[in-house]
Amino acid sequence: MNGSDDFSQRAAAAFDAAHARSYAEGPPRQVPGFAGLHRMTSMLLSERVPTNGRVLVLGAGGGLELKALADDHSGWTFDGVDPSADMLRVAEQIVGPHTARMRLHEGYIDAAPEGPFDGAACLLTLHFVPREQRVETLRQIHRRLLPGAPFVVAHISFPQAEPERSIWIDRHIAFAGTDPANAENARRAIGTKLSILSPEEDETMLREAGFSGVSLFYAGLSFRGWVGYA
């Protein structure tokens, strides 16, 4: 996938240096069961990824999932992809002693090595990918995986028909602990900067991209997570 100029600019603005420095504090507060999500991702990947496996992580900036997976699996090596150089620098700091097992690539999915990989993960990322680029992004992940390899994905996903959509946005904002004075700005940002689909649409796109055995494994308020197989 080649990100559009507009999307590239929005991604750069969203993940500037200041945001990157504070990133590690955000997800544990904003994502229900954040540590558990990492543990489940590690477990689901390990069902099929061998002890010396190679894992692709899309949206690896910040490094939190890279560190969690590397902590759990000392024999795995990782290729992490992210469009933000600032966030990749944060990832380098977060992964610490695991650096030798990491290769980080600045860009979108087309910047990822061809593989083949034994597994892949994409956490808290796809809601930044425009709808029209979502299936192609998933297809690009799929074709880099060995047959039967697991793919774990989790991001914001909730019903898009009103009034449910607005209710879920308000729940998302409330759980994050947003200052009420900033709530309206947060609603506007979610509505304009994120590409949120319904869970049904997300599952359909995974299957359209070629993944089989797609099943929901995680539901945390406004977030959903699935595992599927190449």
mmCIF file of all heavy atoms in Angstrom, residues 23 34 37-38 41-42 57-61 64-66 69 121-128 151-155 217 225-226:
data_model
loop_
_atom_site.group_PDB
_atom_site.id
_atom_site.type_symbol
_atom_site.label_atom_id
_atom_site.label_comp_id
_atom_site.label_asym_id
_atom_site.label_seq_id
_atom_site.Cartn_x
_atom_site.Cartn_y
_atom_site.Cartn_z
ATOM 1 N N TYR A 23 3.892 8.523 24.335
ATOM 2 C CA TYR A 23 3.045 7.441 23.847
ATOM 3 C C TYR A 23 2.926 6.293 24.843
ATOM 4 O O TYR A 23 1.828 5.762 25.067
ATOM 5 C CB TYR A 23 3.581 6.901 22.517
ATOM 6 C CG TYR A 23 2.854 5.661 22.057
ATOM 7 C CD1 TYR A 23 1.598 5.756 21.470
ATOM 8 C CD2 TYR A 23 3.403 4.391 22.223
ATOM 9 C CE1 TYR A 23 0.904 4.628 21.061
ATOM 10 C CE2 TYR A 23 2.718 3.263 21.817
ATOM 11 C CZ TYR A 23 1.473 3.378 21.236
ATOM 12 O OH TYR A 23 0.806 2.258 20.850
ATOM 13 N N PHE A 34 -5.132 -3.725 28.557
ATOM 14 C CA PHE A 34 -3.998 -3.578 27.625
ATOM 15 C C PHE A 34 -2.951 -4.672 27.827
ATOM 16 O O PHE A 34 -2.514 -5.299 26.860
ATOM 17 C CB PHE A 34 -3.381 -2.195 27.812
ATOM 18 C CG PHE A 34 -2.227 -1.903 26.896
ATOM 19 C CD1 PHE A 34 -2.429 -1.714 25.537
ATOM 20 C CD2 PHE A 34 -0.929 -1.807 27.385
ATOM 21 C CE1 PHE A 34 -1.368 -1.441 24.686
ATOM 22 C CE2 PHE A 34 0.134 -1.539 26.545
ATOM 23 C CZ PHE A 34 -0.090 -1.353 25.190
ATOM 24 N N LEU A 37 -4.244 -7.914 26.573
ATOM 25 C CA LEU A 37 -4.243 -7.975 25.105
ATOM 26 C C LEU A 37 -2.888 -8.438 24.603
ATOM 27 O O LEU A 37 -2.801 -9.289 23.698
ATOM 28 C CB LEU A 37 -4.589 -6.609 24.528
ATOM 29 C CG LEU A 37 -4.488 -6.466 23.001
ATOM 30 C CD1 LEU A 37 -5.411 -7.447 22.286
ATOM 31 C CD2 LEU A 37 -4.807 -5.030 22.581
ATOM 32 N N HIS A 38 -1.818 -7.911 25.177
ATOM 33 C CA HIS A 38 -0.480 -8.349 24.786
ATOM 34 C C HIS A 38 -0.268 -9.822 25.136
ATOM 35 O O HIS A 38 0.311 -10.583 24.339
ATOM 36 C CB HIS A 38 0.581 -7.500 25.481
ATOM 37 C CG HIS A 38 0.782 -6.167 24.825
ATOM 38 N ND1 HIS A 38 1.590 -5.197 25.356
ATOM 39 C CD2 HIS A 38 0.291 -5.650 23.670
ATOM 40 C CE1 HIS A 38 1.589 -4.131 24.569
ATOM 41 N NE2 HIS A 38 0.804 -4.392 23.539
ATOM 42 N N THR A 41 -2.196 -11.929 22.654
ATOM 43 C CA THR A 41 -1.523 -11.904 21.359
ATOM 44 C C THR A 41 -0.336 -12.849 21.350
ATOM 45 O O THR A 41 -0.142 -13.628 20.411
ATOM 46 C CB THR A 41 -1.066 -10.472 21.034
ATOM 47 O OG1 THR A 41 -2.205 -9.614 20.947
ATOM 48 C CG2 THR A 41 -0.297 -10.421 19.714
ATOM 49 N N SER A 42 0.453 -12.799 22.406
ATOM 50 C CA SER A 42 1.611 -13.675 22.530
ATOM 51 C C SER A 42 1.198 -15.141 22.516
ATOM 52 O O SER A 42 1.800 -15.976 21.823
ATOM 53 C CB SER A 42 2.360 -13.339 23.832
ATOM 54 O OG SER A 42 3.431 -14.217 24.040
ATOM 55 N N VAL A 57 5.365 -7.162 12.637
ATOM 56 C CA VAL A 57 4.487 -6.309 13.436
ATOM 57 C C VAL A 57 4.250 -5.016 12.669
ATOM 58 O O VAL A 57 5.179 -4.233 12.457
ATOM 59 C CB VAL A 57 5.092 -6.017 14.828
ATOM 60 C CG1 VAL A 57 4.184 -5.065 15.604
ATOM 61 C CG2 VAL A 57 5.293 -7.314 15.609
ATOM 62 N N LEU A 58 3.007 -4.800 12.239
ATOM 63 C CA LEU A 58 2.649 -3.571 11.544
ATOM 64 C C LEU A 58 2.115 -2.565 12.563
ATOM 65 O O LEU A 58 1.258 -2.899 13.379
ATOM 66 C CB LEU A 58 1.581 -3.852 10.486
ATOM 67 C CG LEU A 58 1.134 -2.636 9.667
ATOM 68 C CD1 LEU A 58 2.282 -2.073 8.846
ATOM 69 C CD2 LEU A 58 -0.032 -3.015 8.762
ATOM 70 N N GLY A 59 2.627 -1.329 12.505
ATOM 71 C CA GLY A 59 2.288 -0.339 13.510
ATOM 72 C C GLY A 59 3.118 -0.528 14.755
ATOM 73 O O GLY A 59 2.625 -0.426 15.883
ATOM 74 N N ALA A 60 4.408 -0.781 14.560
ATOM 75 C CA ALA A 60 5.299 -1.152 15.666
ATOM 76 C C ALA A 60 5.874 0.047 16.406
ATOM 77 O O ALA A 60 6.591 -0.121 17.383
ATOM 78 C CB ALA A 60 6.448 -2.017 15.131
ATOM 79 N N GLY A 61 5.579 1.265 15.933
ATOM 80 C CA GLY A 61 6.108 2.439 16.607
ATOM 81 C C GLY A 61 5.668 2.501 18.061
ATOM 82 O O GLY A 61 4.522 2.190 18.383
ATOM 83 N N LEU A 64 5.773 -1.145 22.326
ATOM 84 C CA LEU A 64 5.224 -1.837 23.490
ATOM 85 C C LEU A 64 4.900 -3.297 23.194
ATOM 86 O O LEU A 64 5.215 -4.184 23.991
ATOM 87 C CB LEU A 64 3.973 -1.102 23.993
ATOM 88 C CG LEU A 64 4.211 0.325 24.482
ATOM 89 C CD1 LEU A 64 2.899 0.966 24.905
ATOM 90 C CD2 LEU A 64 5.212 0.346 25.641
ATOM 91 N N GLU A 65 4.266 -3.572 22.039
ATOM 92 C CA GLU A 65 3.976 -4.965 21.723
ATOM 93 C C GLU A 65 5.238 -5.721 21.349
ATOM 94 O O GLU A 65 5.380 -6.910 21.657
ATOM 95 C CB GLU A 65 2.923 -5.091 20.626
ATOM 96 C CG GLU A 65 3.330 -4.535 19.267
ATOM 97 C CD GLU A 65 2.919 -3.089 19.091
ATOM 98 O OE1 GLU A 65 3.433 -2.240 19.843
ATOM 99 O OE2 GLU A 65 2.110 -2.812 18.198
ATOM 100 N N LEU A 66 6.199 -5.051 20.693
ATOM 101 C CA LEU A 66 7.473 -5.705 20.395
ATOM 102 C C LEU A 66 8.155 -6.181 21.668
ATOM 103 O O LEU A 66 8.640 -7.310 21.746
ATOM 104 C CB LEU A 66 8.396 -4.742 19.643
ATOM 105 C CG LEU A 66 8.114 -4.492 18.165
ATOM 106 C CD1 LEU A 66 9.020 -3.385 17.643
ATOM 107 C CD2 LEU A 66 8.288 -5.756 17.335
ATOM 108 N N LEU A 69 6.213 -9.191 23.282
ATOM 109 C CA LEU A 69 6.416 -10.447 22.561
ATOM 110 C C LEU A 69 7.840 -10.949 22.718
ATOM 111 O O LEU A 69 8.075 -12.157 22.880
ATOM 112 C CB LEU A 69 6.078 -10.258 21.083
ATOM 113 C CG LEU A 69 4.608 -9.960 20.754
ATOM 114 C CD1 LEU A 69 4.449 -9.613 19.275
ATOM 115 C CD2 LEU A 69 3.726 -11.141 21.121
ATOM 116 N N ALA A 121 1.306 -9.474 13.676
ATOM 117 C CA ALA A 121 0.398 -8.783 14.584
ATOM 118 C C ALA A 121 0.248 -7.341 14.135
ATOM 119 O O ALA A 121 1.170 -6.749 13.573
ATOM 120 C CB ALA A 121 0.919 -8.841 16.023
ATOM 121 N N CYS A 122 -0.916 -6.787 14.389
ATOM 122 C CA CYS A 122 -1.193 -5.384 14.077
ATOM 123 C C CYS A 122 -2.133 -4.874 15.166
ATOM 124 O O CYS A 122 -3.347 -5.099 15.107
ATOM 125 C CB CYS A 122 -1.818 -5.262 12.696
ATOM 126 S SG CYS A 122 -2.174 -3.562 12.202
ATOM 127 N N LEU A 123 -1.573 -4.233 16.172
ATOM 128 C CA LEU A 123 -2.348 -3.813 17.337
ATOM 129 C C LEU A 123 -2.519 -2.300 17.370
ATOM 130 O O LEU A 123 -1.547 -1.554 17.237
ATOM 131 C CB LEU A 123 -1.665 -4.289 18.625
ATOM 132 C CG LEU A 123 -1.388 -5.789 18.742
ATOM 133 C CD1 LEU A 123 -0.792 -6.110 20.115
ATOM 134 C CD2 LEU A 123 -2.647 -6.613 18.501
ATOM 135 N N LEU A 124 -3.755 -1.867 17.547
ATOM 136 C CA LEU A 124 -4.084 -0.447 17.746
ATOM 137 C C LEU A 124 -3.611 0.413 16.581
ATOM 138 O O LEU A 124 -3.169 1.542 16.773
ATOM 139 C CB LEU A 124 -3.487 0.053 19.073
ATOM 140 C CG LEU A 124 -3.731 -0.843 20.302
ATOM 141 C CD1 LEU A 124 -3.124 -0.217 21.538
ATOM 142 C CD2 LEU A 124 -5.214 -1.110 20.493
ATOM 143 N N THR A 125 -3.727 -0.120 15.383
ATOM 144 C CA THR A 125 -3.175 0.546 14.200
ATOM 145 C C THR A 125 -4.185 0.719 13.074
ATOM 146 O O THR A 125 -4.250 1.784 12.450
ATOM 147 C CB THR A 125 -1.968 -0.251 13.666
ATOM 148 O OG1 THR A 125 -0.926 -0.218 14.650
ATOM 149 C CG2 THR A 125 -1.444 0.320 12.356
ATOM 150 N N LEU A 126 -4.988 -0.295 12.764
ATOM 151 C CA LEU A 126 -5.801 -0.244 11.553
ATOM 152 C C LEU A 126 -6.835 0.875 11.564
ATOM 153 O O LEU A 126 -7.290 1.308 10.500
ATOM 154 C CB LEU A 126 -6.488 -1.584 11.307
ATOM 155 C CG LEU A 126 -5.634 -2.690 10.688
ATOM 156 C CD1 LEU A 126 -6.506 -3.873 10.303
ATOM 157 C CD2 LEU A 126 -4.853 -2.196 9.483
ATOM 158 N N HIS A 127 -7.209 1.385 12.730
ATOM 159 C CA HIS A 127 -8.161 2.505 12.718
ATOM 160 C C HIS A 127 -7.518 3.799 12.206
ATOM 161 O O HIS A 127 -8.204 4.804 12.034
ATOM 162 C CB HIS A 127 -8.794 2.719 14.103
ATOM 163 C CG HIS A 127 -7.830 2.772 15.234
ATOM 164 N ND1 HIS A 127 -7.840 1.857 16.281
ATOM 165 C CD2 HIS A 127 -6.822 3.633 15.524
ATOM 166 C CE1 HIS A 127 -6.896 2.153 17.148
ATOM 167 N NE2 HIS A 127 -6.272 3.236 16.716
ATOM 168 N N PHE A 128 -6.211 3.789 11.948
ATOM 169 C CA PHE A 128 -5.553 4.919 11.289
ATOM 170 C C PHE A 128 -5.463 4.730 9.774
ATOM 171 O O PHE A 128 -5.072 5.658 9.066
ATOM 172 C CB PHE A 128 -4.132 5.116 11.838
ATOM 173 C CG PHE A 128 -4.100 5.578 13.269
ATOM 174 C CD1 PHE A 128 -3.663 4.725 14.262
ATOM 175 C CD2 PHE A 128 -4.504 6.858 13.615
ATOM 176 C CE1 PHE A 128 -3.634 5.136 15.583
ATOM 177 C CE2 PHE A 128 -4.477 7.279 14.935
ATOM 178 C CZ PHE A 128 -4.042 6.419 15.926
ATOM 179 N N PHE A 151 -2.389 -14.495 12.332
ATOM 180 C CA PHE A 151 -2.384 -13.033 12.290
ATOM 181 C C PHE A 151 -3.304 -12.540 13.390
ATOM 182 O O PHE A 151 -4.482 -12.905 13.443
ATOM 183 C CB PHE A 151 -2.860 -12.534 10.936
ATOM 184 C CG PHE A 151 -3.046 -11.040 10.859
ATOM 185 C CD1 PHE A 151 -2.041 -10.166 11.274
ATOM 186 C CD2 PHE A 151 -4.221 -10.495 10.365
ATOM 187 C CE1 PHE A 151 -2.216 -8.788 11.202
ATOM 188 C CE2 PHE A 151 -4.399 -9.116 10.275
ATOM 189 C CZ PHE A 151 -3.397 -8.263 10.703
ATOM 190 N N VAL A 152 -2.772 -11.709 14.280
ATOM 191 C CA VAL A 152 -3.544 -11.147 15.390
ATOM 192 C C VAL A 152 -3.696 -9.654 15.156
ATOM 193 O O VAL A 152 -2.709 -8.949 14.938
ATOM 194 C CB VAL A 152 -2.849 -11.420 16.743
ATOM 195 C CG1 VAL A 152 -3.632 -10.763 17.874
ATOM 196 C CG2 VAL A 152 -2.714 -12.913 16.986
ATOM 197 N N VAL A 153 -4.940 -9.177 15.201
ATOM 198 C CA VAL A 153 -5.214 -7.772 14.926
ATOM 199 C C VAL A 153 -6.218 -7.248 15.951
ATOM 200 O O VAL A 153 -7.164 -7.943 16.322
ATOM 201 C CB VAL A 153 -5.744 -7.597 13.478
ATOM 202 C CG1 VAL A 153 -7.011 -8.392 13.250
ATOM 203 C CG2 VAL A 153 -5.976 -6.133 13.154
ATOM 204 N N ALA A 154 -5.990 -6.028 16.428
ATOM 205 C CA ALA A 154 -6.911 -5.405 17.379
ATOM 206 C C ALA A 154 -6.877 -3.897 17.202
ATOM 207 O O ALA A 154 -5.804 -3.309 17.016
ATOM 208 C CB ALA A 154 -6.544 -5.781 18.817
ATOM 209 N N HIS A 155 -8.049 -3.280 17.253
ATOM 210 C CA HIS A 155 -8.152 -1.835 17.059
ATOM 211 C C HIS A 155 -9.551 -1.386 17.453
ATOM 212 O O HIS A 155 -10.397 -2.193 17.843
ATOM 213 C CB HIS A 155 -7.859 -1.473 15.598
ATOM 214 C CG HIS A 155 -8.598 -2.313 14.614
ATOM 215 N ND1 HIS A 155 -8.052 -3.443 14.053
ATOM 216 C CD2 HIS A 155 -9.859 -2.229 14.113
ATOM 217 C CE1 HIS A 155 -8.922 -4.005 13.238
ATOM 218 N NE2 HIS A 155 -10.033 -3.286 13.269
ATOM 219 N N PHE A 217 -11.372 -12.702 19.676
ATOM 220 C CA PHE A 217 -10.781 -13.182 20.930
ATOM 221 C C PHE A 217 -10.757 -12.105 22.002
ATOM 222 O O PHE A 217 -10.508 -12.391 23.169
ATOM 223 C CB PHE A 217 -9.353 -13.705 20.700
ATOM 224 C CG PHE A 217 -8.319 -12.620 20.493
ATOM 225 C CD1 PHE A 217 -7.634 -12.081 21.581
ATOM 226 C CD2 PHE A 217 -8.022 -12.141 19.228
ATOM 227 C CE1 PHE A 217 -6.681 -11.079 21.396
ATOM 228 C CE2 PHE A 217 -7.089 -11.142 19.033
ATOM 229 C CZ PHE A 217 -6.411 -10.605 20.118
ATOM 230 N N GLY A 225 -10.620 -7.443 18.946
ATOM 231 C CA GLY A 225 -9.442 -8.132 18.428
ATOM 232 C C GLY A 225 -9.825 -9.465 17.827
ATOM 233 O O GLY A 225 -10.688 -10.177 18.357
ATOM 234 N N TRP A 226 -9.179 -9.816 16.708
ATOM 235 C CA TRP A 226 -9.444 -11.075 16.015
ATOM 236 C C TRP A 226 -8.132 -11.826 15.757
ATOM 237 O O TRP A 226 -7.067 -11.230 15.659
ATOM 238 C CB TRP A 226 -10.094 -10.820 14.655
ATOM 239 C CG TRP A 226 -11.466 -10.241 14.719
ATOM 240 C CD1 TRP A 226 -12.657 -10.913 14.711
ATOM 241 C CD2 TRP A 226 -11.813 -8.840 14.774
ATOM 242 N NE1 TRP A 226 -13.713 -10.025 14.765
ATOM 243 C CE2 TRP A 226 -13.226 -8.752 14.806
ATOM 244 C CE3 TRP A 226 -11.063 -7.662 14.807
ATOM 245 C CZ2 TRP A 226 -13.891 -7.537 14.878
ATOM 246 C CZ3 TRP A 226 -11.720 -6.448 14.870
ATOM 247 C CH2 TRP A 226 -13.138 -6.390 14.905
#
